[in-house]
Amino acid sequence: MRAHVTKKILSEGLGLLERVIPSRSSNPLLTSLKVEATEAGLTLSGTNLEIDLSCFVPAEVQNPQNFVIPAHLFAQIVRSLGGELVELELTGNELAVRAGGSNFKLQTGDFEAYPPLSFPTQADVSLDAGELSRAFGSVRYAASNEAFQAVFRGIKLEHRGETARVVASDGYRVAIRDFPASGDGKNLIVPARSADELIRVLKDGEARFTYGEGMLTVTTDRVRMNLKLLDGDFPDYERVIPKDIRLQVTLPATALKDAVNRVAVLADKNANNRVEFQVSQGKLLLAAEGDYGRAQDTLDVVQGGTEPAMSLAFNARHVLDALGPIEGDAELLFSGSTSPAIFRASGGGGYMAVMVTLRV
Amino acid sequence: MRAHVTKKILSEGLGLLERVIPSRSSNPLLTSLKVEATEAGLTLSGTNLEIDLSCFVPAEVQNPQNFVIPAHLFAQIVRSLGGELVELELTGNELAVRAGGSNFKLQTGDFEAYPPLSFPTQADVSLDAGELSRAFGSVRYAASNEAFQAVFRGIKLEHRGETARVVASDGYRVAIRDFPASGDGKNLIVPARSADELIRVLKDGEARFTYGEGMLTVTTDRVRMNLKLLDGDFPDYERVIPKDIRLQVTLPATALKDAVNRVAVLADKNANNRVEFQVSQGKLLLAAEGDYGRAQDTLDVVQGGTEPAMSLAFNARHVLDALGPIEGDAELLFSGSTSPAIFRASGGGGYMAVMVTLRV
């Protein structure tokens, strides 16, 4: 087999697969990249047993043949090459990789021994890839890395008629993003670490979903991905969203981020990075206190609601996370010192963070 | 005391001191910043017992008073402040730090208990700060981090009449840089980690040297630094510099760096990252071989000298280090397969790397 392929396109494909394929494994074959060739190009694939990923790279191929090759080494070599075009030539168990004055000879692995990866092709439902990726990206922070409840390590995707919703929670906060979607899809829970790969892989165009047994296949024009779903019931997060808003403030999200970052320097790491929010007379006073001293910051806000003043306390880290996806003005909705609070973008956009307060 | 100071200038000074002052220490006072105030400004200083550093920050000061304050916390707060001007106010054991809507109150430490730091003011000799910093920066890589001979953990500075020279070695390679200097200074060995701080601190203008007992004080317009010197005899490195050059090649340094980086992907990490250099007929062939395959790269070179061809082998890591300070064309001077080789910039500039070859 001999193939000619653009270095840039090959590198991009390898870049996606490198993140999924483990660099070490008790089964060394899993560290390999599987390459299936046709005259139109090369299909690169790999798996970490949680996610299977496959990516098509257009190429000019003569006498197409399949092979497996150490994935990370191959990717590193391709990246290091000079010039724009890469030549691959397979002779027996040796793959030659050539470009400019460079000539690499790599030992290939046992193609037959590599686990079969199959990607269903019919689509059950279709979503906008960019919207889905942004939605996962907005709520990812709230998923837990170490929750006692396994579902908290996942992101729930709900189909709600004209919109879809992603939700993540670690029990102390909930992040929600709604986005336009049509079609009658299933509700499911994607492991947060698989969502990370989806965020990376999904750019624009369509993301076509195929539902399997405890599994989801996502197909775009560039890639196909199988991912294992989380089993279990996601808690009823809607009941923690406060309905009775008694005080509301609006201010630029960056001003609030900067101020929380400042006062958090002195916040007590052993007391949940506690920062107090005191609202009254169009001012938001932030205050934190720790072993080395105390910090205050005063911000002008647009204040509304029936309550003239309120004091609440939050984990500074959680506040900064919640503000992350908000651009422009942030709206903070408070229903009482001991009730959860809502942080959302003033202009809408479907994102909302709900956070428990710390005891005042 | 009340002081007004520009945030940018204060942050820059704190940035330098933060690198020297330890963030943890069995003696917590050493994690403090010492601040001495006059009506003209604040002198910030700190020590890690290897290096004492002091930096003057111009400020408007009323009722000057001295104090010590947790260094890293103070630096972090100042960096996080909005606005351009910072107000400091000392009341009893509390320092207020204010800017815009921010108001921090920090507990100060025990000024009297802080170890005295003294910086001599008369200068024995003066060097160009920029030249000295560049010279240390060029040879730093060759100093050892774990040498059995303590002097290999240092950089030697030699005064040679019209020039000065810095030399570093780990026993396998020598890096040398000559630069213009006048005055009759002493030869001395600066610990490489102290040289790192000198590189960071020295910008332009004069670096004035004051010699002490096993100690050097370097003074510039911005900073004063005491550093402990290494004791011992630096080996006679000049005898390893080959005199009888039998083959010489010239090529762009970046082309050689890229090619060595490429073939090194397959070089055997357990065999010194061995890369072979084969020169003949105006070509340099690089070759490496490891568990996964083999790599070759061919480069056009301008070839000179009496020998028509030569094969040598080097540690790829060492070759890349040696090429680091070379811009434009590199000149490689070979005197035989088993003799050390010289890498230097084709246009001069005073830098030279000497490297042992690996067995062919």
Side-chain angles (χ1 to χ4, degrees):
Chain A
M1 185 206 71
R2 188 193 293 252
H4 290 93
V5 52
T6 313
K7 180 191 157 188
K8 183 164 175 289
I9 297 176
L10 180 58
S11 294
E12 282 172 4
L14 290 170
L16 295 177
L17 279 148
E18 252 189 318
R19 293 197 37 93
V20 169
I21 299 174
S23 53
R24 281 148 206 251
S25 168
S26 54
N27 176 0
L29 254 187
L30 289 185
T31 65
S32 294
L33 175 77
K34 182 176 188 171
V35 182
E36 289 162 295
T38 65
E39 283 177 4
L42 308 171
T43 300
L44 316 177
S45 47
T47 182
N48 61 13
L49 303 181
E50 284 291 314
I51 302 173
D52 308 331
L53 182 65
S54 166
C55 171
F56 179 74
V57 173
E60 276 179 33
V61 184
Q62 292 155 7
N63 307 320
Q65 272 180 284
N66 301 333
F67 58 95
V68 295
I69 193 103
H72 294 271
L73 201 66
F74 182 54
Q76 211 183 338
I77 288 170
V78 169
R79 259 199 309 275
S80 78
L81 292 172
E84 290 178 11
L85 206 67
V86 179
E87 182 181 81
L88 306 175
E89 187 175 15
L90 186 69
T91 316
N93 288 326
E94 199 170 71
L95 180 75
V97 183
R98 300 191 192 101
S102 308
N103 190 352
F104 288 81
K105 300 271 173 58
L106 290 171
Q107 296 303 313
T108 59
D110 183 354
F111 184 83
E112 301 306 327
Y114 194 88
L117 303 177
S118 76
F119 299 87
T121 48
Q122 92 296 350
D124 293 323
V125 70
S126 170
L127 292 170
D128 182 280
E131 291 278 6
L132 183 63
S133 174
R134 268 190 298 282
F136 274 130
S138 302
V139 303
R140 167 64 177 95
Y141 70 84
S144 174
N145 295 315
E146 42 177 343
F148 57 99
Q149 255 186 297
V151 288
F152 281 156
R153 288 198 291 263
I155 298 177
K156 187 179 185 198
L157 174 64
E158 296 177 4
H159 289 267
R160 302 162 71 94
E162 295 300 288
T163 58
R165 165 176 287 187
V166 292
V167 189
S169 177
D170 61 3
Y172 300 99
R173 51 193 172 159
V174 181
I176 298 172
R177 182 156 206 150
D178 294 326
F179 59 98
S182 59
D184 191 23
K186 292 187 190 173
N187 293 348
L188 45 83
I189 305 173
V190 175
R193 285 163 66 178
S194 301
D196 290 338
E197 296 314 314
L198 274 179
I199 293 166
R200 210 171 309 272
V201 157
L202 297 176
K203 296 289 174 214
D204 40 31
E206 272 191 329
R208 294 183 290 281
F209 279 21
T210 312
Y211 301 111
E213 194 61 52
M215 214 174 83
L216 173 69
T217 302
V218 182
T219 308
T220 73
D221 294 339
R222 299 162 69 215
V223 299
R224 294 179 294 170
M225 190 189 278
N226 297 326
L227 46 94
K228 284 199 181 141
L229 297 175
L230 285 179
D231 209 14
D233 287 326
F234 204 83
D236 177 17
Y237 62 89
E238 299 205 58
R239 101 196 130 67
V240 304
I241 303 174
K243 307 287 179 296
D244 172 28
I245 304 305
R246 287 152 58 201
L247 195 154
Q248 169 173 347
V249 303
T250 306
L251 77 170
T254 51
L256 181 55
K257 284 180 211 175
D258 289 349
V260 172
N261 260 320
R262 274 197 293 272
V263 300
V265 172
L266 286 185
D268 190 342
K269 274 75 190 159
N270 299 320
N272 297 314
N273 290 300
R274 178 198 183 80
V275 172
E276 278 189 36
F277 281 51
Q278 297 168 21
V279 185
S280 73
Q281 300 185 317
K283 301 273 184 197
L284 168 59
L285 173 74
L286 304 177
E289 197 170 335
D291 290 344
Y292 298 99
R294 49 198 199 284
Q296 286 192 346
D297 226 290
T298 311
L299 298 166
D300 290 320
V301 299
V302 176
Q303 185 179 338
T306 55
E307 200 90 348
M310 204 180 286
S311 285
L312 311 91
F314 297 103
N315 181 326
R317 196 64 258 151
H318 288 190
V319 171
L320 292 170
D321 284 344
L323 292 170
I326 301 179
E327 288 168 15
D329 278 354
E331 234 172 52
L332 282 44
L333 310 178
F334 302 135
S335 67
S337 295
T338 57
S339 309
I342 298 176
F343 285 45
R344 67 183 185 196
S346 168
Y351 168 76
M352 171 197 290
V354 183
M355 254 181 303
V356 298
T357 51
L358 303 175
R359 202 167 288 182
V360 176
Chain B
M1 186 205 74
R2 189 194 292 253
H4 291 93
V5 52
T6 312
K7 180 192 156 187
K8 182 163 176 288
I9 298 177
L10 181 58
S11 293
E12 281 172 7
L14 290 170
L16 295 176
L17 278 149
E18 251 190 317
R19 293 196 38 92
V20 169
I21 298 174
S23 53
R24 280 150 206 251
S25 168
S26 54
N27 177 358
L29 255 187
L30 288 184
T31 64
S32 295
L33 174 76
K34 183 176 187 170
V35 182
E36 289 161 297
T38 65
E39 283 176 5
L42 308 171
T43 299
L44 315 178
S45 47
T47 182
N48 62 12
L49 302 181
E50 284 292 313
I51 302 173
D52 308 332
L53 181 64
S54 166
C55 171
F56 180 74
V57 173
E60 275 179 34
V61 184
Q62 292 156 5
N63 306 320
Q65 272 179 284
N66 301 333
F67 57 96
V68 294
I69 193 105
H72 294 270
L73 201 65
F74 182 54
Q76 211 183 336
I77 288 170
V78 170
R79 259 199 308 276
S80 78
L81 292 172
E84 290 179 9
L85 205 66
V86 179
E87 181 181 82
L88 305 175
E89 187 174 14
L90 188 69
T91 316
N93 288 326
E94 198 170 70
L95 180 74
V97 183
R98 298 192 194 100
S102 309
N103 190 352
F104 288 80
K105 301 269 171 60
L106 289 171
Q107 296 304 313
T108 59
D110 183 355
F111 184 84
E112 300 307 325
Y114 195 88
L117 304 176
S118 76
F119 298 88
T121 48
Q122 91 297 351
D124 292 322
V125 69
S126 169
L127 292 170
D128 182 281
E131 290 279 5
L132 182 63
S133 174
R134 268 189 296 283
F136 273 129
S138 303
V139 304
R140 168 63 177 94
Y141 71 84
S144 175
N145 295 316
E146 41 177 345
F148 56 100
Q149 258 186 294
V151 288
F152 281 155
R153 288 199 290 263
I155 298 178
K156 188 180 184 196
L157 174 65
E158 297 177 4
H159 288 267
R160 303 162 70 94
E162 295 300 289
T163 59
R165 164 176 287 188
V166 291
V167 191
S169 177
D170 61 5
Y172 300 98
R173 52 192 172 159
V174 182
I176 298 171
R177 181 154 206 152
D178 295 327
F179 59 98
S182 59
D184 191 22
K186 291 187 190 174
N187 294 348
L188 44 84
I189 306 173
V190 176
R193 285 163 65 178
S194 301
D196 290 339
E197 296 313 315
L198 274 178
I199 293 166
R200 210 170 309 271
V201 157
L202 297 175
K203 296 289 175 214
D204 41 30
E206 271 191 330
R208 295 182 291 281
F209 279 20
T210 311
Y211 301 112
E213 194 62 52
M215 215 174 82
L216 173 69
T217 301
V218 182
T219 308
T220 73
D221 293 340
R222 298 163 71 216
V223 299
R224 295 177 294 170
M225 189 190 278
N226 296 327
L227 47 93
K228 284 199 182 141
L229 297 174
L230 284 179
D231 208 14
D233 288 325
F234 205 82
D236 177 15
Y237 63 89
E238 298 207 58
R239 99 194 134 66
V240 304
I241 303 174
K243 308 287 179 295
D244 171 28
I245 304 305
R246 287 152 61 200
L247 196 154
Q248 170 173 347
V249 303
T250 306
L251 77 170
T254 51
L256 181 55
K257 283 180 212 176
D258 289 349
V260 171
N261 260 319
R262 272 196 292 273
V263 301
V265 174
L266 286 185
D268 190 344
K269 273 75 189 162
N270 299 320
N272 297 313
N273 291 298
R274 178 199 182 79
V275 172
E276 279 190 35
F277 281 53
Q278 297 168 22
V279 184
S280 71
Q281 299 184 316
K283 302 272 184 197
L284 167 60
L285 173 75
L286 303 177
E289 198 170 333
D291 289 344
Y292 297 98
R294 50 199 199 284
Q296 286 192 345
D297 227 290
T298 311
L299 298 165
D300 291 320
V301 298
V302 176
Q303 185 178 338
T306 55
E307 200 91 348
M310 205 180 284
S311 286
L312 312 90
F314 297 102
N315 181 326
R317 198 61 258 150
H318 287 191
V319 171
L320 291 170
D321 283 344
L323 291 170
I326 301 179
E327 287 169 14
D329 279 353
E331 233 171 52
L332 283 45
L333 309 178
F334 301 136
S335 69
S337 296
T338 56
S339 308
I342 298 176
F343 285 44
R344 68 185 184 195
S346 168
Y351 168 75
M352 171 195 292
V354 183
M355 253 183 302
V356 298
T357 52
L358 303 174
R359 203 167 287 180
V360 176

